[in-house]
Amino acid sequence: MTYSSQPALNTYQKSEGPVGIGGWLILPILHLCGAIILTLHNLYGIVSEWTGIKAIIEGGNDKLVALRLPLAISSILGIAVLILACICLHRLFARSPTVPRLMTFFYMGMVVATLGDVAADNMMSSIVGSSTDPDNFLDVLRVVIAAAIWIPYFHRSRRVANTFRAREAAVDRKIGEVF
């Protein structure tokens, strides 16, 4: 209990370091925007080649039936990346405390989606009898490096902690004072 002559105990301490969406945090935001644009461009291929996709879905011969699985893998993973990137962008700008975990899930999902696309490409190439995309290795390497950089950033950065965990940090301090 405090009296009017005593100053109130300040349970909220101003966080040290940078706060807000800026600095290096701009790069993951640009990556999310790029992922959305690239995925929409890739999914547009389904719409623009609808007669071929329709033939695969109907399955006129054994090759077309065999192409269903790689098409489904690629389409489902593309839609999942699109939805997850949109959710991440929304949570980033809403400054949700779930951002570090959500971005970790996004980067791990990007690794899985890229590996799934490489597997789908290999399946399609073996069915059709063509060569695989030569950029597959670089695509996998690119997302693994991005995950290796940005996952620790979202868990160790002072800017991320000050921007997305400020409310939880204040609550943690209050709980710590009680005990």
Side-chain angles (χ1 to χ4, degrees):
M1 179 168 168
T2 62
Y3 297 101
S4 61
S5 62
Q6 294 177 341
L9 180 63
N10 186 7
T11 58
Y12 177 77
Q13 299 171 353
K14 185 170 170 78
S15 57
E16 294 180 19
V19 178
I21 297 175
W24 290 104
L25 196 54
I26 295 297
L27 294 176
I29 292 171
L30 292 175
H31 184 238
L32 288 168
C33 293
I36 291 170
I37 291 168
L38 185 62
T39 304
L40 284 173
H41 174 72
N42 291 339
L43 289 175
Y44 176 73
I46 294 174
V47 176
S48 65
E49 299 293 330
W50 183 246
T51 55
I53 301 299
K54 187 176 175 184
I56 291 171
I57 293 170
E58 291 173 355
N61 60 32
D62 291 340
K63 279 189 178 183
L64 292 176
V65 170
L67 288 174
R68 285 181 187 167
L69 180 62
L71 176 67
I73 290 171
S74 183
S75 301
I76 290 170
L77 289 175
I79 291 169
V81 165
L82 182 66
I83 291 170
L84 189 56
C86 289
I87 290 170
C88 288
L89 267 180
H90 174 266
R91 296 283 170 91
L92 271 164
F93 290 118
R95 296 189 183 193
S96 172
T98 61
V99 166
R101 287 177 296 201
L102 192 59
M103 289 303 292
T104 299
F105 187 69
F106 170 75
Y107 283 110
M108 295 306 293
M110 285 296 290
V111 171
V112 169
T114 303
L115 290 173
D117 273 346
V118 168
D121 183 47
N122 288 336
M123 283 190 268
M124 284 184 167
S125 297
S126 66
I127 293 167
V128 176
S130 65
S131 63
T132 60
D133 188 4
D135 292 334
N136 282 344
F137 176 74
L138 291 176
D139 292 341
V140 172
L141 186 64
R142 196 173 298 126
V143 297
V144 168
I145 289 172
I149 292 170
W150 293 112
I151 290 173
Y153 173 79
F154 275 97
H155 291 280
R156 304 297 253 159
S157 168
R158 184 172 284 172
R159 177 180 295 277
V160 171
N162 290 342
T163 303
F164 301 109
R165 290 223 358 106
R167 288 176 272 172
E168 284 74 25
V171 171
D172 291 347
R173 281 191 292 275
K174 286 180 184 178
I175 292 172
E177 289 174 5
V178 172
F179 296 106

